[in-house]
Amino acid sequence: RGLSEINTGVPFIDHMLDLMAAHGFMDIKVIAKGDTEIDYHHTVEDLGICFGDVLTKALGERKGIRRYGHAIVPMDESLACVVIDICNRPYLAYRVSLKNKKTGNFDTSLIKEFFRALVNHSGITMHIDLLSGKDPHHASEAIFKAFGRALDMAVTIEKRLQGEVPSTKGML
């Protein structure tokens, strides 16, 4: 349904995960405690690792899922495209270029670290492209919303597969 309860000690990431949950129709509860007094890097990366591990467990044998998902989402002047393949081949193509990488005290370059950890622990191939945008907050919102929507599409059960794995090889 898109319900979330999130407290990571990193307010900006809490906001992004709330958006991801809402737009991806995911019910998630995340409570994390990291070394945020040093910086946010480890906590953000660990959140990606945990999300990837949970996703792998939730998908199980990946039978009957659509496998592919994509979304293009605007947020004011920003436009983000996320395309995923749940294929058990982790790869992240991250084409996001922002002159200003800070929003408040959060360094948006950590978003790449979140998604890199997520793909490595979930076996997802993912392309993230910021097609336009200058504001790092808006760009980040568009990316997380697009990811949520793309993931929702990819994990939707495809009845025509009749419970089979969506691969000509018979496995993912």
Side-chain angles (χ1 to χ4, degrees):
R1 295 182 339 190
L3 304 176
S4 62
E5 181 182 331
I6 300 169
N7 184 354
T8 67
V10 184
F12 187 75
I13 283 295
D14 293 356
H15 178 46
M16 294 301 109
L17 295 177
D18 277 332
L19 294 170
M20 178 187 77
H23 292 273
F25 301 100
M26 297 174 230
D27 292 348
I28 60 175
K29 181 177 182 177
V30 179
I31 298 178
K33 182 164 175 42
D35 57 355
T36 56
E37 68 281 357
I38 297 169
D39 68 18
Y40 295 150
H41 184 273
H42 292 127
T43 301
V44 172
E45 183 179 37
D46 289 349
L47 288 164
I49 290 168
C50 291
F51 194 87
D53 288 345
V54 166
L55 187 56
T56 295
K57 185 176 179 182
L59 291 173
E61 295 179 4
R62 303 171 184 211
K63 290 184 176 180
I65 63 169
R66 291 185 120 181
R67 176 178 167 178
Y68 299 102
H70 63 276
I72 300 173
V73 173
M75 176 61 201
D76 292 346
E77 87 295 346
S78 294
L79 183 65
C81 174
V82 175
V83 180
I84 63 176
D85 177 6
I86 301 175
C87 58
N88 209 22
R89 288 187 305 277
Y91 182 81
L92 176 64
Y94 191 83
R95 292 174 288 269
V96 175
S97 180
L98 291 167
K99 287 184 182 179
N100 181 7
K101 295 188 184 320
K102 294 283 255 188
T103 180
N105 65 348
F106 186 81
D107 181 352
T108 59
S109 66
L110 293 177
I111 291 171
K112 181 178 182 181
E113 298 308 314
F114 172 84
F115 285 111
R116 183 190 338 252
L118 188 153
V119 301
N120 285 336
H121 284 262
S122 64
I124 290 176
T125 293
M126 181 168 16
H127 290 255
I128 298 174
D129 293 281
L130 183 62
L131 304 174
S132 64
K134 294 181 180 179
D135 183 284
H137 189 125
H138 296 163
S140 301
E141 282 199 27
I143 289 166
F144 274 88
K145 289 174 182 177
F147 171 69
R149 294 181 66 80
L151 183 61
D152 179 55
M153 179 186 288
V155 301
T156 297
I157 298 298
E158 175 56 67
K159 293 178 183 171
R160 294 173 291 181
L161 286 170
Q162 299 178 343
E164 296 299 317
V165 173
S167 171
T168 56
K169 295 184 249 175
M171 61 182 265
L172 291 176

